[in-house]
Amino acid sequence: MRTENITLRMAWRNVWRNRHRTLLTLLTIMIGCAMIIFFNSMAKGGHDQMIEDAVGLNTGHIQIHEKGFWDNQTIDYAFKPSETLITYLSGLPQIEGFSPRILTGGLLSFRDTTRGVLIQGIDPRQESRVTHIHNKILPGGRFLSETDTTHAIIGSTLATHIHASVNDTFAIISQGFDGSIAADRFTVVGIFNSGNPDFDRELILIPLSQADMTFSMMGYVHSMVIRLTDISLLTDIKTDIVEHTLATRAGATKLEVLGWDAMMPELIQFIVMDDVGGYIFDFILFMVVAFGILNTVQMSVFERTREFGIMLSIGTRPRLITRMILTETALISLFGIALGLALGYGVSLYFQIHPIDYSQFSEEISLWGISTTLYPADTTLKNITVTALTTFALAMVFSIFPARRAAKLNPVEAIRKL
């Protein structure tokens, strides 16, 4: 019989010589792995949902502006989308939709109330392919249609503050792109509740064609908002758009292409801080599992000191003893990891189907434009693989010291010791 087979059989028998200790170690590894997989899955699912809510409400995944617009956001930073650029964006299958926008500030006047507002001209048909604001209209109203002219939808908080409702008419006064005074009257056709306090308090949406006339834009827009079919394509598509504008000289030196991560650094910072907390928690769990294994192996070596002394005295090579102890650790670890992966994936799958409700924190998370309060788990192959490999590697590393200690025992002293 080959040495490897003998070592494996001896290790398997030794593992079950103390069933209580083995089961306790298995339980430690299983619970540790399951908790790591579950909490990482919840973090991944929560972050993905936050990003999707934030980009789906207003920003989209990518925006094209004239350089300087995002920092200043005044009516002066506008560009005219070339036919070449529009044709190029239309031909990219990775783009789910794109929509031009006109964005400026102004004063709203309704009855005896005047308020500062943010006015956004949108293409109703294309906007619905980029954002979800059309799904946020309160009962009794509607979203903008392609035939609308001097019609508008306003935020719910703004409507409450000025006591306006559907079919009311208000006036806006602002500056035109050519420096003239821009003023017009609009009829409210819908009121939205986006869940973002800033948007609900100050945002007004009007048709793009009417915004072009009201603000004398002459075909210029302030941004081209792009929604991707998959957020993981962000870097590649952003690079492609930049290279396209450079190759076609479509105003490449005057345009900036920004991803959602550049437009919402606060959300990125929140996710990074949350990830750091998650890494610390993972480290603690990994250490609990590793020291649990170390304790088990050390106790096993201590209890079997005389046995190892006898083995060494009859000519067993120290390398074989080391290999046997490491094999015992590997067997326990593999069983514990397998059970932990199954438990962690099962629990994560349950919370993927039944998301956790964070509605009690809706006001805090709405600061980032996040309206959804249900966060599902999202288990990835990377999460499972990293958890399994790290746990196994730590188990083997932490068992090396007691294994080498057993292999270096003095046979005579070991036999007399117990």
Side-chain angles (χ1 to χ4, degrees), residues 195-213:
N196 184 309
D198 291 337
F199 290 164
D200 293 344
R201 184 172 53 247
E202 60 184 20
L203 184 61
I204 296 175
L205 300 181
I206 63 176
L208 183 71
S209 56
Q210 184 61 43
D212 184 83
M213 289 190 291

Side-chain angles (χ1 to χ4, degrees), residues 26-264:
L26 280 175
L27 196 62
T28 302
I29 299 173
M30 181 181 71
I31 298 298
C33 287
M35 290 180 67
I36 292 170
I37 291 174
F38 171 65
F39 285 112
N40 286 341
S41 298
M42 288 303 303
K44 175 71 167 51
H47 294 165
D48 289 347
Q49 191 63 55
M50 289 179 182
I51 294 169
E52 178 58 28
D53 287 348
V55 301
L57 182 61
N58 190 265
T59 62
H61 292 119
I62 297 174
Q63 287 194 19
I64 304 173
H65 315 115
E66 186 182 47
K67 285 183 178 175
F69 171 78
W70 193 251
D71 294 329
N72 298 283
Q73 302 206 18
T74 68
I75 196 170
D76 300 322
Y77 292 89
F79 70 101
K80 184 174 288 188
S82 66
E83 288 296 330
T84 305
L85 178 61
I86 293 175
T87 303
Y88 176 73
L89 296 178
S90 302
L92 287 177
Q94 301 91 340
I95 291 180
E96 186 174 333
F98 62 92
S99 179
R101 284 181 187 168
I102 293 172
L103 184 66
T104 186
L107 287 176
L108 176 148
S109 177
F110 178 68
R111 296 174 182 167
D112 57 349
T113 303
T114 302
R115 297 181 66 88
V117 293
L118 185 65
I119 306 159
Q120 192 166 283
I122 60 170
D123 183 316
R125 184 177 60 84
Q126 297 190 63
E127 187 72 17
S128 61
R129 299 176 60 187
V130 174
T131 63
H132 302 149
I133 196 72
H134 58 285
N135 294 325
K136 308 293 183 181
I137 305 298
L138 298 178
R142 64 171 176 82
F143 190 60
L144 295 171
S145 69
E146 295 180 57
T147 58
D148 283 336
T149 53
T150 55
H151 301 85
I153 60 175
I154 64 176
S156 56
T157 306
L158 175 62
T160 301
H161 286 172
I162 65 175
H163 304 291
S165 57
V166 175
N167 295 325
D168 283 337
T169 301
F170 62 88
I172 57 172
I173 304 173
S174 184
Q175 176 191 339
F177 185 53
D178 57 358
S180 62
I181 299 296
D184 232 325
R185 296 182 68 82
F186 293 87
T187 301
V188 178
V189 296
I191 297 172
F192 62 83
N193 184 359
S194 67
N196 184 309
D198 291 337
F199 290 164
D200 293 344
R201 184 172 53 247
E202 60 184 20
L203 184 61
I204 296 175
L205 300 181
I206 63 176
L208 183 71
S209 56
Q210 184 61 43
D212 184 83
M213 289 190 291
T214 301
F215 301 107
S216 305
M217 295 301 295
M218 300 173 289
Y220 282 76
V221 298
H222 293 107
S223 65
M224 186 71 76
V225 184
I226 299 170
R227 181 177 180 80
L228 304 175
T229 55
D230 189 337
I231 195 172
S232 63
L233 301 169
L234 175 69
T235 303
D236 292 339
I237 298 301
K238 194 170 64 172
T239 303
D240 289 346
I241 294 173
V242 172
E243 291 177 350
H244 169 77
T245 55
L246 286 172
T248 59
R249 299 181 180 179
T253 57
K254 297 182 180 178
L255 297 181
E256 61 183 5
V257 183
L258 298 180
W260 67 268
D261 48 349
M263 293 184 285
M264 294 184 289

Side-chain angles (χ1 to χ4, degrees), residues 349-365:
L349 183 62
Y350 174 82
F351 283 100
Q352 184 174 346
I353 300 172
H354 306 284
I356 293 180
D357 186 356
Y358 284 100
S359 58
Q360 67 269 34
F361 304 113
S362 58
E363 291 187 7
E364 288 82 357
I365 62 178

